[in-house]
Amino acid sequence: MINIRLIANKLGIDAAIAYTIIGRVIQAGGGVISILFIAKYLTKVEQGFYYTFGSLLAIQIFFELGLSNVITQFVAHEVAHLRWENKTQLIGSDKSLSRLSSLLHFCIKWFSIISIILVFVLIILGYFFFNKYGKSDVDVNWHIPWLILSVSTSTSLMISPILAYFEGLGKVKEIALMRMVQQTVQLILLLLFLIFGLKLFASPLSAILSVFIIPFWFFSSSKKTLLKNIWQGQKEWKVNYKVEIFPFQWRIAISWISGYFIFQLFNPVLFARDGPVIAGQMGMTLTALNGVMSISMSWINTKVPTFANLVAKKDYSSLDLIFDKTIKQAISICGLILVLFAITIYTLQFYKISIGNRFLPIFPLTLLCIVTFVNQFIFAYAAYLRSHKKEPFLIQSIVMAVLTSLSTLLLGYYYGVNGITIGYCFLTVFVSFFWSRNIFTNKKEEWH
């Protein structure tokens, strides 16, 4: 009989990773299922709008500015000096308790403001872009769906710091479980709405309805009492945003903004140059590959609070031991799934099965698979180093954003999707990876 527990231990799968993986599998597997439904219930033109929606919505990164990641790091560093009295009460250093409370006050106020601004920016940007480049597709009803998506995206941004805060408290397993439930509900609603013929309304309606799962989870559990206790614990010790958070955050923010130009520019460029059909193929391919990445990165992301905690304690030997083991597990999973994915799409396209044509041709698809595998290393290195409350990837991110944007615009203009993927693959493999590896090695030696 197969010993599932033994296999899980070998792969480094704990409860937090298990829930995260299940959630990512639901997301990735649901992505595959939704791809089938999108191919059946949406036209190729509507598919292009569907995935370009996602690329434009990603501008929320200009408002979030990496602050959720920063909050997790800062909270984990303070919790390292505290201990749990019970499920709703932390005890220990008065200074750490007060700073923990000030972090909660700050992130709730900050995200409430920027979420309101974001909704108006998204609505205006979407209407401008699609009126300019999608005006020939008069039969596509995109206006109200875009409005609903803008509202749901802004609402999610408002909630995101609370989830990041809980992860910093060490509640990674609970957050992973909640997100798994949310993703499951959102997928089911999406498929049902597609079946009922709601077209482009399916995604925004499923998104905005599933958002309400988070406040329901919060108000129906002890988490409300926990946050209330932390909220009331603020004393004279506060986290100074300008002195402590901002010097770290602005570097993270620029890195994340750079990520938009590296990862999200393809669809709008292809939509404007070649129309929604090609943009839809790129969007569907990237959705599948992002699903693969999200599964394999579960090993790393669930360990971030642990990394930060060990850094706060200066236990670098344990930090390196856990990281080395975790990254090996992550890249093994990533490589295996990518090979299976590429073989599957090649088979579908070789035998001219219709769903295969909704993806990019095998050549650009293979290049994107290579990029995904290499990015696994880069993202892992970044997570490790950022656990030190520092951002050493600032210059690298800016340079890569500029080079990738120029490559996408120029090669995309002259050679279309092949030009975009060739340029992207070359820059990731021969510039980004080696640069990131060098930063990782040097900063480890310097900081430790």
Side-chain angles (χ1 to χ4, degrees):
M1 181 179 294
I2 298 176
N3 191 327
I4 297 178
R5 186 180 297 273
L6 178 62
I7 295 175
N9 289 335
K10 287 288 186 181
L11 294 175
I13 302 176
D14 55 21
I17 293 179
Y19 287 135
T20 304
I21 291 174
I22 293 172
R24 298 307 186 189
V25 168
I26 291 172
Q27 189 177 35
V32 174
I33 296 173
S34 65
I35 283 170
L36 300 175
F37 277 70
I38 289 168
K40 180 176 177 60
Y41 294 104
L42 298 184
T43 65
K44 290 184 178 180
V45 172
E46 289 169 338
Q47 177 182 313
F49 276 84
Y50 180 92
Y51 287 114
T52 306
F53 278 173
S55 293
L56 292 184
L57 289 173
I59 70 160
Q60 66 178 294
I61 200 170
F62 290 84
F63 293 80
E64 200 271 345
L65 297 175
L67 192 53
S68 291
N69 181 273
V70 174
I71 289 169
T72 299
Q73 305 284 355
F74 272 76
V75 170
H77 276 260
E78 297 304 327
V79 171
H81 307 292
L82 303 171
R83 67 182 187 276
W84 291 96
E85 173 76 4
N86 51 54
K87 290 184 178 180
T88 61
Q89 191 71 47
L90 280 161
I91 59 174
S93 166
D94 287 341
K95 181 178 180 181
S96 291
L97 287 170
S98 179
R99 284 170 59 82
L100 200 60
S101 179
S102 73
L103 281 169
L104 182 60
H105 281 257
F106 164 75
C107 67
I108 289 180
K109 292 176 183 177
W110 177 272
F111 276 84
S112 296
I113 295 171
I114 62 174
S115 297
I116 294 172
I117 299 174
L118 174 62
V119 69
F120 292 105
V121 172
L122 284 175
I123 292 172
I124 295 170
L125 175 67
Y127 273 68
F128 172 79
F129 182 86
F130 291 112
N131 274 323
K132 181 176 178 63
Y133 296 109
K135 59 185 178 181
S136 60
D137 303 296
V138 293
D139 294 332
V140 178
N141 184 4
W142 59 267
H143 300 81
I144 302 301
W146 178 254
L147 176 64
I148 299 172
L149 274 175
S150 299
V151 173
S152 66
T153 301
S154 300
T155 305
S156 295
L157 180 62
M158 188 179 296
I159 295 172
S160 64
I162 300 300
L163 303 183
Y165 194 92
F166 274 115
E167 288 180 331
L169 291 174
K171 304 294 183 181
V172 179
K173 180 177 69 174
E174 291 88 336
I175 297 299
L177 176 59
M178 186 277 301
R179 282 178 168 152
M180 181 189 74
V181 173
Q182 183 189 25
Q183 289 161 356
T184 303
V185 171
Q186 185 170 350
L187 173 62
I188 293 173
L189 290 175
L190 173 64
L191 300 183
L192 287 175
F193 291 151
L194 285 171
I195 292 173
F196 292 150
L198 295 183
K199 296 287 188 176
L200 290 180
F201 281 88
S203 177
L205 289 176
S206 61
I208 200 166
L209 290 175
S210 63
V211 163
F212 289 106
I213 291 175
I214 300 175
F216 176 80
W217 164 82
F218 173 74
F219 286 107
S220 62
S221 68
S222 61
K223 306 298 182 296
K224 177 183 176 182
T225 304
L226 171 59
L227 283 190
K228 182 179 178 181
N229 290 337
I230 294 175
W231 181 273
Q232 296 173 342
Q234 182 169 302
K235 297 180 180 178
E236 65 267 29
W237 300 283
K238 297 181 181 180
V239 174
N240 189 313
Y241 174 77
K242 292 182 180 180
V243 175
E244 298 180 69
I245 295 179
F246 183 72
F248 179 38
Q249 187 210 347
W250 76 263
R251 292 176 172 83
I252 289 279
I254 293 178
S255 295
W256 281 42
I257 290 171
S258 300
Y260 179 87
F261 294 100
I262 296 173
F263 304 115
Q264 299 293 341
L265 198 59
F266 307 142
N267 270 21
V269 169
L270 288 174
F271 191 100
R273 180 190 185 275
D274 297 321
V277 175
I278 301 299
Q281 290 178 333
M282 174 64 82
M284 190 167 281
T285 303
L286 290 177
T287 297
L289 293 176
N290 289 337
V292 174
M293 176 63 77
S294 66
I295 290 174
S296 58
M297 277 300 293
S298 299
W299 272 258
I300 299 295
N301 291 336
T302 54
K303 293 293 190 297
V304 166
T306 301
F307 295 161
N309 195 286
L310 292 171
V311 170
K313 297 176 180 177
K314 300 186 185 301
D315 187 357
Y316 300 128
S317 58
S318 296
L319 172 67
D320 289 341
L321 185 66
I322 293 174
F323 178 77
D324 291 343
K325 180 180 179 181
T326 303
I327 193 173
K328 289 176 183 177
Q329 294 162 342
I331 61 175
S332 298
I333 295 296
C334 183
L336 176 61
I337 300 177
L338 286 173
V339 171
L340 293 175
F341 171 71
I343 292 174
T344 300
I345 300 304
Y346 175 77
T347 302
L348 291 173
Q349 293 181 351
F350 181 81
Y351 289 103
K352 301 188 186 302
I353 299 174
S354 59
I355 184 63
N357 295 326
R358 292 298 182 105
F359 292 88
L360 290 176
I362 195 63
F363 175 68
L365 183 143
T366 301
L367 293 178
L368 290 178
C369 285
I370 294 171
V371 169
T372 302
F373 183 74
V374 173
N375 276 335
Q376 174 73 69
F377 289 91
I378 298 172
F379 293 171
Y381 296 155
Y384 177 98
L385 294 179
R386 287 167 181 164
S387 296
H388 296 71
K389 293 201 295 187
K390 297 179 181 180
E391 173 50 287
F393 285 88
L394 176 63
I395 302 301
Q396 187 250 28
S397 298
I398 295 173
V399 172
M400 288 305 302
V402 172
L403 292 178
T404 304
S405 297
L406 290 174
S407 171
T408 299
L409 293 171
L410 294 176
L411 296 180
Y413 177 79
Y414 289 105
Y415 303 106
V417 69
N418 285 339
I420 288 176
T421 51
I422 290 172
Y424 181 38
C425 184
F426 177 85
L427 289 172
T428 301
V429 175
F430 295 103
V431 180
S432 184
F433 172 72
F434 289 105
W435 195 349
S436 299
R437 178 67 187 179
N438 185 60
I439 292 173
F440 175 72
T441 303
N442 290 340
K443 292 303 178 181
K444 270 185 63 178
E445 182 177 350
E446 176 185 341
W447 296 345
H448 296 180

